Amino acid sequence: MRAAPVFVSQEELKAQQDAARQVSALPNRPGSYHIVTYGCQMNAHDSEKLAGLLSGMGMTEAPDRREADLVLFNTCCIRDNAERRALGNITWLKELKAQKPGLIIGVCGCMVQQPAMAQKILRQYRFVDLAFGTHNLHCLPSLLLSLLTQRSRVFSVTDDETLIAEGLPVKRLNAYHAYITIMYGCDNYCSYCIVPYVRGRERSRRMDDILREAEGLVKSGVKEIMLLGQNVNSYGSGSATETFPILLRKLDAIGVERIRFMTSHPKDLSDELIQAMADCPHVCHHLHLPVQSGDNEILRQMNRRYTREAYLDRVRRLRQAVPDIGLTTDFIVSFPGETQAQFERTCDLVDEVGFDAAFTFIYSPREGTRAAALPGRIEAAESTRRIETLIRHVEASTERVHQSLLGTEELVLVEGLSKRDEGMVSGKGRRNITITFPGDARDIGAILPVTITSCAANTLRGQRKER
Ligand code: SAH
Ligand code: SF4
Ligand code: F3S
């Protein structure tokens, strides 16, 4: 039985609003902020909330960290390189602070939620003024108030992992595309993964809150909504009326032009969800369905709770229901003990499924996870060879998909001017592939029909269809 989510109380939210007002009135409060974000879309959206809270305290956004009075690092710890990159950049600011003593440096997000890392920052990164974890993001106003009034470092990492804070201000980065987090945390405990430890137990927002947020976004001109969660397929309170397929159908009915979601766990991809994707005209024909490995023994050791055959069965069923669906995925190579034969089964799977694209990662041991204790570490040189081989399979698959799309028509939501080509705009089709075609700034935010005429490595080119 799932633990019922507990919502941050109205009193607490009000106390935070009071703290925000007090911060805005302080003569020594920072005038500007800059947020550096690492990690997944969930973190990107958390940064939009942090920006909303900081703007609410009267601060303006500085485009460059060197010009900001407060720099906040919203960190990720999914792999070792994500942590090293963040720590390197935080260290770089130590010098800036030497020249600009009033600079406030804050660190938050998943990295800080690990007790050993919080201790390390506390002891070894003495120039960091403020640190907080993933569960108390909504407390930023009171944390900042303590920092500014007591003039001592503020470190606050809590374990209140069942809490959901509704109604926080959000400063959105994009006028046409918006994130909505529908659930927090993860209960799956894949053996390699740190997320359940730093994001807490799985808990879902109320459907009414989500629908209200979506309606507000549609009214403000948003065209595309991306629903976020570590495993959106298991969204819900456990009741039969609050499931992910029902949520999709309701969002589809309120007139959101395009709906996307991620991430989907293959073990929870139900026939009801596939049917909802087929029935709802606004749901995009794209699914990110991380498979991680093509070998059953490795999948078992990863605690993924599906087999290669079950994954292929879901793919078949999806394609029956939504024939032009584009599939993308994630892979981990060099999981402890992975043999050459097991690795090759992952490469075959790419050839067999025909993914539009894939993210490929080398296994990175995470302290505290089950896989970190497994024997059979693969050497770095061998891991590099494996990931390069796998990338070649993925590139060949992308190429085949792109070739198959030549001459077809796509509806493209124009995101902006093309960075590389003058007189061109680019955006994503419903399959989530970037398409570039002739246009100008007036097209930004429009959804336009485009015929695909040629393909390059990662993008498709097209011609606008006259209506
Ligand atoms: N909730 C999502 C994604 C979570 S993290 C899901 O279940 O798919 C995104 C990706 O990072 C994962 O899909 C996985 O491929 C990769 N990843 C997670 N932990 C990792 C680790 N310890 N080493 C390497 N890659 C990892
Ligand atoms: Fe990590 Fe697995 Fe949860 Fe995804 S489903 S966040 S990989 S534990
Ligand atoms: Fe990273 Fe945390 Fe997302 S560990 S991938 S930022 S949930």
Side-chain angles (χ1 to χ4, degrees):
M1 188 58 206
R2 231 175 259 183
V6 181
F7 293 86
V8 175
S9 68
Q10 287 304 319
E11 293 77 54
E12 172 60 22
L13 290 173
K14 222 185 129 289
Q16 291 300 331
Q17 286 163 2
D18 287 344
R21 267 190 293 277
Q22 290 179 56
V23 171
S24 2
L26 288 175
N28 65 335
R29 74 148 162 80
S32 61
Y33 69 87
H34 182 88
I35 303 175
V36 184
T37 310
Y38 301 92
C40 60
Q41 278 96 342
M42 203 90 80
N43 245 23
H45 186 42
D46 280 352
S47 288
E48 293 183 325
K49 293 179 188 163
L50 292 164
L53 289 166
L54 293 169
S55 306
M57 289 182 263
M59 292 169 223
T60 54
E61 189 178 354
D64 191 309
R65 67 188 81 172
R66 280 167 297 205
E67 276 142 35
D69 301 329
L70 163 68
V71 180
L72 189 54
F73 290 89
N74 189 11
T75 59
C76 168
C77 56
I78 195 85
R79 285 169 289 276
D80 182 51
N81 56 6
E83 283 193 340
R84 268 186 290 136
R85 209 150 54 90
L87 289 174
N89 276 308
I90 296 166
T91 308
W92 184 80
L93 277 203
K94 187 179 177 182
E95 306 217 342
L96 192 63
K97 192 161 175 161
Q99 298 154 21
K100 199 173 157 184
L103 176 67
I104 297 176
I105 301 176
V107 186
C108 64
C110 293
M111 207 168 92
V112 185
Q113 195 66 43
Q114 306 170 99
M117 183 56 84
Q119 282 302 316
K120 180 172 169 170
I121 296 172
L122 188 65
R123 301 230 164 87
Q124 296 174 21
Y125 291 73
R126 303 208 59 87
F127 55 96
V128 171
D129 306 287
L130 170 68
F132 53 98
T134 56
H135 303 310
N136 57 344
L137 176 150
H138 62 280
C139 300
L140 178 60
S142 61
L143 298 175
L144 207 51
L145 184 64
S146 311
L147 178 71
L148 295 170
T149 51
Q150 293 164 15
R151 293 173 189 272
S152 60
R153 303 168 81 201
V154 171
F155 273 58
S156 175
V157 184
T158 67
D159 288 331
D160 273 347
E161 56 176 49
T162 52
L163 289 182
I164 291 182
E166 284 296 344
L168 295 184
V170 180
K171 187 168 182 287
R172 295 188 182 271
L173 287 177
N174 191 305
Y176 305 104
H177 170 97
Y179 294 128
I180 299 184
T181 299
I182 62 166
M183 61 192 301
Y184 298 87
C186 182
D187 282 350
N188 287 310
Y189 290 94
C190 301
S191 64
Y192 50 81
C193 184
I194 193 78
V195 171
Y197 304 92
V198 292
R199 288 274 173 173
R201 299 300 304 275
E202 184 179 301
R203 56 223 186 264
S204 294
R205 290 177 66 197
R206 287 176 293 235
M207 200 178 272
D208 285 349
D209 290 334
I210 298 169
L211 293 172
R212 210 170 313 120
E213 184 174 350
E215 277 163 357
L217 289 168
V218 170
K219 277 204 197 94
S220 74
V222 164
K223 300 278 175 68
E224 182 173 286
I225 283 177
M226 165 81 97
L227 306 172
L228 298 177
Q230 292 299 347
N231 178 11
V232 289
N233 300 1
S234 72
Y235 166 82
S237 52
S239 88
T241 52
E242 254 193 12
T243 66
F244 188 56
I246 294 175
L247 176 65
L248 275 189
R249 288 180 189 277
K250 290 200 170 169
L251 282 167
D252 193 66
I254 66 169
V256 184
E257 283 207 50
R258 306 221 291 197
I259 304 168
R260 298 186 187 279
F261 52 88
M262 74 185 298
T263 302
S264 292
H265 195 303
K267 77 176 165 58
D268 296 313
L269 180 64
S270 64
D271 286 342
E272 290 76 37
L273 175 55
I274 295 174
Q275 198 53 48
M277 290 186 78
D279 292 344
C280 296
H282 302 288
V283 173
C284 286
H285 290 183
H286 167 236
L287 191 69
H288 185 63
L289 195 62
V291 62
Q292 315 300 355
S293 167
D295 180 78
N296 283 340
E297 176 54 22
I298 294 287
L299 287 172
R300 195 185 64 76
Q301 289 190 30
M302 286 178 163
N303 193 31
R304 291 291 288 180
R305 286 175 279 172
Y306 54 83
T307 58
R308 174 191 179 106
E309 293 71 29
Y311 185 89
L312 288 169
D313 171 68
R314 294 293 79 195
V315 169
R316 247 188 317 274
R317 181 74 189 86
L318 271 163
R319 286 185 167 147
Q320 262 167 17
V322 189
D324 64 343
I325 194 161
L327 295 172
T328 56
T329 197
D330 294 345
F331 290 109
I332 299 177
V333 302
S334 293
F335 185 81
E338 184 189 64
T339 63
Q340 175 64 22
Q342 288 174 323
F343 165 67
E344 282 169 11
R345 278 195 273 284
T346 297
C347 297
D348 299 344
L349 187 83
V350 176
D351 304 344
E352 190 168 345
V353 174
F355 293 104
D356 286 10
F359 293 107
T360 50
F361 306 108
I362 294 175
Y363 169 73
S364 168
R366 304 282 69 206
E367 204 181 306
T369 62
R370 271 202 295 151
L374 291 176
R377 291 275 163 84
I378 315 280
E379 267 185 39
E382 175 58 16
S383 297
T384 307
R385 194 194 64 76
R386 287 188 190 176
I387 198 165
E388 283 171 357
T389 306
L390 181 61
I391 289 170
R392 279 197 294 279
H393 282 264
V394 172
E395 282 173 352
S397 173
T398 303
E399 167 91 33
R400 279 194 299 276
V401 170
H402 284 189
Q403 289 288 344
S404 75
L405 293 174
L406 290 179
T408 61
E409 189 189 310
E410 251 297 7
L411 286 169
V412 181
L413 170 55
V414 182
E415 287 165 13
L417 300 175
S418 162
K419 290 189 188 79
R420 271 185 305 183
D421 306 288
E422 215 170 308
M424 306 281 271
V425 289
S426 69
K428 292 209 170 81
R430 293 196 307 167
R431 262 180 100 139
N432 213 33
I433 303 176
T434 300
I435 301 171
T436 305
F437 61 98
D440 58 39
R442 286 169 299 182
D443 298 324
I444 297 172
I447 294 178
L448 300 172
V450 173
T451 306
I452 295 163
T453 51
S454 68
C455 58
N458 280 316
T459 58
L460 295 171
R461 284 173 179 274
Q463 283 299 329
R464 183 194 296 235
K465 275 195 65 166
E466 295 311 325
R467 276 193 248 217

